[in-house]
Amino acid sequence: MAPLEPYEKVYIDTDFLDEDEDVHGQISCVTCHGGDPEADEREKAHIGLINTPTDPDPGKACGECHADIVAKNSTNLHFSLSPFKTKIYKRASADPAVRDKIDTAMDNHCMTCHSSCGQCHVSRPKSVEGGLIEGHLFQKTPPVDTNCTSCHGSRIGKEFHGENKGVKPDIHHFKKRMACKACHTGDEMHGTGKEHFDRYEVTNRADCEECHALGTLGKKPEEKKSGKYREHPSHFIHKDKVSCQVCHSGSYKNCYNCHVGKDKAGLTYFKTDPAKMAFKIGLNTNPTPDRPEKYVTVRHIPVMVDVGSVCQE
Amino acid sequence: MKPSYLKAFTIRFFKYRLDMMMIKRSKSIKTGQGRTIASFIAVICYVASLSFPFALYAQESSCVECHTSMKKLIEITRAIEAAKPKVKKSEETKGEG
């Protein structure tokens, strides 16, 4: 993703002011952004300016019309990133001194990646230096390249698009050109309004069986209707024992030894060992009614074209 | 004045003019005093119809005037970038983020 020129980051397309193009353009600028529009100098006009009106609290900017979504914001995983903390806490010592260090490290590093309403629907996320997308025209569905993969790029983006050497793209992209939204709906992105220990607890998350219900896999519509067919036996043998991805996937990116800190100048840094493409299966550490399988892939990984290739190998 | 403002202005102007006509035709206003009040309201409405849209959009125009002009923004942001201290990044960062 090419970086934006400074002027592009703040450029507003006149279409935004057209009621037929975007109703948000009918709200006065100061309602969300503050500042002093009557000032005759740029510096004075920007006193009290709110660059990101939806971060951390979107109540004032979005709440009047989107109250139901705003109500879920504090527990929205893109905003709270809460599973990172709970997962790391679970692995780390309970010693308060250690917890303090973890909290500091998370504030300096992990939490800088979180996103807000505006950083999905209006601008690029702050973690990639922000900047308006589409001249401030609100995007009901955030664009994949400027928003989804600007954060989920090294792993998900490259895997999904098949940019890792020797590894094919996700079948949904390769065969049907599906975008993230096809499986990961707005509802899932906005969350359920409940606190979650991990992201697999989100009940409205993407679910393979919504499209590929057991008993109908690979069957023509007339066959599904007649019921005169046999389900692939593996689905009955492995049901609730292994997740779909354990069989229907391939090599994925694994990262090692991520360490974070501050250098002598007080600047934050991270260090990771080179990532490796591998296929790893692990125990499901948090079985839920939605995800009862005993064995799962370590990460949620793309689906490969050559399904079942892992088992065959 | 931008077309969208002109459109909003025209709509609001005719809306107030319509209000005025309705007041004048109201059966409840039959007395001289009523007519005086109605005239006063009509004048206020007329003045408001002229000034209100400008008052509303003047707030936005100073923001919109700069932020919709690519040429202005290029000039301004260049000056800002030149004056702004560069954001330092640690040289110790290694690996894929």
Side-chain angles (χ1 to χ4, degrees), chain A:
Chain A
M1 183 182 67
L4 290 171
E5 290 292 329
Y7 78 89
E8 289 180 298
K9 291 183 178 180
V10 291
Y11 173 69
I12 296 171
D13 194 314
T14 48
D15 281 354
F16 176 62
L17 306 168
D18 185 344
E19 193 177 357
D20 298 331
E21 294 285 339
D22 193 336
V23 291
H24 299 94
Q26 302 305 301
I27 303 166
S28 76
C29 309
V30 290
T31 304
C32 298
H33 291 284
D36 182 3
E38 288 173 10
D40 50 6
E41 288 175 31
R42 184 180 61 79
E43 287 83 359
K44 285 179 185 170
H46 286 102
I47 291 172
L49 182 82
I50 304 162
N51 275 334
T52 52
T54 63
D55 187 15
D57 180 13
K60 191 184 169 196
C62 314
E64 194 178 320
C65 298
H66 306 285
D68 53 333
I69 297 171
V70 167
K72 294 187 278 191
N73 186 62
S74 61
T75 54
N76 174 338
L77 299 189
H78 276 90
F79 178 77
S80 74
L81 302 176
S82 58
F84 282 99
K85 189 168 250 181
T86 49
K87 293 278 182 184
I88 292 172
Y89 268 15
K90 198 175 181 186
R91 292 181 189 189
S93 161
D95 181 348
V98 174
R99 291 284 164 100
D100 277 351
K101 284 183 181 176
I102 292 171
D103 290 347
T104 305
M106 289 204 70
D107 288 343
N108 287 338
H109 302 271
C110 314
M111 296 310 285
T112 60
C113 273
H114 87 151
S115 196
S116 64
C117 308
Q119 290 172 48
C120 284
H121 296 285
V122 188
S123 70
R124 293 183 181 190
K126 202 175 172 183
S127 57
V128 290
E129 299 180 0
L132 295 171
I133 46 172
E134 302 291 335
H136 207 298
L137 281 153
F138 281 53
Q139 306 296 302
K140 188 173 168 65
T141 303
V144 172
D145 57 340
T146 55
N147 291 69
C148 307
T149 57
S150 66
C151 291
H152 303 281
S154 300
R155 283 158 289 278
I156 298 294
K158 285 185 178 176
E159 287 167 344
F160 190 72
H161 294 118
E163 291 169 17
N164 291 310
K165 199 178 175 184
V167 182
K168 289 176 181 173
D170 186 293
I171 192 169
H172 300 94
H173 172 69
F174 177 73
K175 214 171 175 180
K176 300 283 182 187
R177 293 282 157 192
M178 288 160 73
C180 311
K181 186 207 169 191
C183 298
H184 301 284
T185 61
D187 266 353
E188 181 194 354
M189 295 298 104
H190 297 143
T192 58
K194 293 177 186 169
E195 292 282 356
H196 295 294
F197 169 74
D198 76 25
R199 62 199 173 105
Y200 298 109
E201 286 180 350
V202 178
T203 48
N204 54 3
R205 67 190 163 82
D207 181 6
C208 306
E209 288 191 57
E210 273 182 26
C211 294
H212 308 286
L214 285 178
T216 63
L217 294 169
K219 305 300 171 193
K220 293 174 184 171
E222 59 269 24
E223 289 178 318
K224 286 179 187 176
K225 209 172 179 183
S226 70
K228 290 178 182 174
Y229 58 83
R230 236 162 36 92
E231 178 64 66
H232 193 289
S234 295
H235 293 145
F236 296 107
I237 296 166
H238 296 114
K239 189 174 174 0
D240 296 345
K241 291 182 184 131
V242 298
S243 68
C244 305
Q245 290 83 3
V246 168
C247 295
H248 298 279
S249 55
S251 296
Y252 61 95
K253 193 170 270 186
N254 292 268
C255 306
Y256 301 91
N257 293 325
C258 181
H259 286 107
V260 295
K262 279 188 176 180
D263 64 13
K264 287 175 184 171
L267 301 170
T268 57
Y269 69 83
F270 67 82
K271 287 179 181 176
T272 56
D273 287 350
K276 289 177 186 170
M277 297 303 291
F279 186 80
K280 291 180 183 294
I281 303 169
L283 277 172
N284 182 359
T285 56
N286 185 29
T288 60
D290 279 348
R291 195 171 176 257
E293 298 89 8
K294 189 175 181 186
Y295 298 102
V296 294
T297 49
V298 178
R299 274 185 45 225
H300 184 60
I301 58 175
V303 179
M304 297 295 162
V305 175
D306 302 325
V307 290
S309 60
V310 177
C311 298
Q312 288 160 18
E313 281 168 17

